[in-house]
Amino acid sequence: MKMRVIFYLFLLICLTALSGCFSPPEFPDEPTISFENLVFRKGDISSGDSLILSINFQDGNGDIGLSGVDDDFPYHPFDIIVDSNGDSVFFRDGPRANNPNIIKQAVPPFFRRAPNGNEILFSEVDNRNPVYNCPQYERLFNPDGQEVDTLYIFQNENNSNISVKFFRRVNGEPREFDFRAIASRDLCGEDFNGRFPIFDQQNFEDGKALAGTIDYSMISVGFELAFRRDTFQIVTQIKDRNLNESDTVITPPFVILPEFRL
């Protein structure tokens, strides 16, 4: 299942040194958002179709946006799961693939360990699912490209600064639809949570207010397959670099009506 996300950020209002004849806008430091538009566009077979969600935003100190290299705490991809002895937990107990002489049995309780060393309780019991699924594990490879282990992890929601959830209407009731399940039963498909970048580096460094519109373009060959003219809605939220969350926006009910292919 091919999925891709593209971000376009258009600045509407920002504080600049050139705005001497205008009073600076006053926004709260926590971001606020509102719905602007939702558009479906057909693409060709190789590029996939686009679902473009447009949201307006305001932020009082302009501290929004994550770059591709922002992977340190607290924006890291995942926490590792360790047991009561402080040892990493894997998909299965037994001899480690990279060192068969080491046999490790995980001993609960389990803890989430972040890259900065912070740990919080994850589970009082061994809560590993006997069925493998991608979101809960990180595959480890040796220099030759051979898989040597499968590390138990917890996805860090702060790795993204925009979240997107789909809700499909079933018998009139909204039910969340997980796009990761389209590609495979082990949830190895992609979701559409992601990042939008820092729009104006100088504005960000100066801590000035910022407002604008984010066009969040989600690309997949699976939209029509997933919804088949069903009515669905999208629930979205953004967060700033201080992890302040915006309000939640729900789109109006939407039906995919195929357009011509580009």
Side-chain angles (χ1 to χ4, degrees):
M1 182 62 55
K2 183 179 180 181
M3 300 181 184
R4 192 162 72 250
V5 175
I6 298 176
F7 301 94
Y8 301 95
L9 190 61
F10 298 99
L11 184 65
L12 299 182
I13 306 170
C14 70
L15 291 180
T16 69
L18 302 177
S19 59
C21 58
F22 299 99
S23 298
E26 294 184 3
F27 306 137
D29 288 347
E30 298 77 17
T32 60
I33 60 174
S34 62
F35 173 74
E36 175 67 22
N37 200 12
L38 183 62
V39 176
F40 176 75
R41 291 179 181 167
K42 290 288 291 184
D44 57 36
I45 299 300
S46 61
S47 65
D49 303 326
S50 299
L51 192 60
I52 305 170
L53 172 64
S54 299
I55 56 173
N56 304 313
F57 74 91
Q58 297 177 343
D59 188 83
N61 56 7
D63 66 330
I64 62 173
L66 290 173
S67 72
V69 297
D70 281 320
D71 284 331
D72 294 333
F73 179 86
Y75 316 117
H76 57 288
F78 55 81
D79 295 342
I80 63 171
I81 305 302
V82 298
D83 67 4
S84 58
N85 295 319
D87 296 322
S88 297
V89 179
F90 298 84
F91 176 49
R92 292 190 180 93
D93 290 331
R96 298 277 65 83
N98 58 346
N99 191 341
N101 295 321
I102 298 177
I103 298 177
K104 178 68 181 68
Q105 182 176 1
V107 180
F110 291 168
F111 299 87
R112 286 171 48 187
R113 179 185 291 167
N116 66 345
N118 288 348
E119 292 185 4
I120 61 173
L121 180 65
F122 181 60
S123 175
E124 293 282 3
V125 299
D126 186 343
N127 63 344
R128 286 173 293 178
N129 192 322
V131 179
Y132 175 85
N133 68 75
C134 283
Q136 292 182 323
Y137 294 97
E138 178 75 5
R139 299 165 65 192
L140 305 179
F141 299 87
N142 64 19
D144 296 326
Q146 299 172 320
E147 185 174 340
V148 295
D149 252 322
T150 311
L151 191 66
Y152 194 23
I153 64 170
F154 185 86
Q155 300 283 347
N156 177 26
E157 62 182 12
N158 296 323
N159 183 248
S160 302
N161 62 4
I162 182 168
S163 66
V164 174
K165 295 182 180 179
F166 289 84
F167 288 83
R168 183 170 55 181
R169 290 274 174 177
V170 179
N171 297 324
E173 297 294 327
R175 295 185 183 176
E176 187 171 357
F177 182 85
D178 193 342
F179 255 95
R180 296 175 302 182
I182 295 180
S184 60
R185 294 181 180 179
D186 50 11
L187 303 180
C188 288
E190 297 180 80
D191 62 26
F192 287 112
N193 298 329
R195 293 182 172 188
F196 57 86
I198 295 172
F199 178 74
D200 185 319
Q201 185 66 36
Q202 188 62 54
N203 188 89
F204 164 71
E205 292 174 359
D206 293 342
K208 295 178 179 178
L210 190 69
T213 300
I214 300 170
D215 285 345
Y216 184 87
S217 183
M218 298 165 280
I219 299 177
S220 174
V221 297
F223 290 129
E224 291 183 283
L225 173 66
F227 297 114
R228 296 187 180 90
R229 295 181 180 269
D230 289 342
T231 300
F232 69 95
Q233 292 174 276
I234 293 175
V235 177
T236 188
Q237 186 178 46
I238 69 171
K239 64 178 64 174
D240 63 21
R241 294 180 66 89
N242 285 320
L243 309 183
N244 295 312
E245 296 180 334
S246 73
D247 43 336
T248 297
V249 163
I250 304 176
T251 69
F254 190 84
V255 178
I256 288 179
L257 296 176
E259 301 173 348
F260 64 90
R261 288 195 177 273
L262 299 177

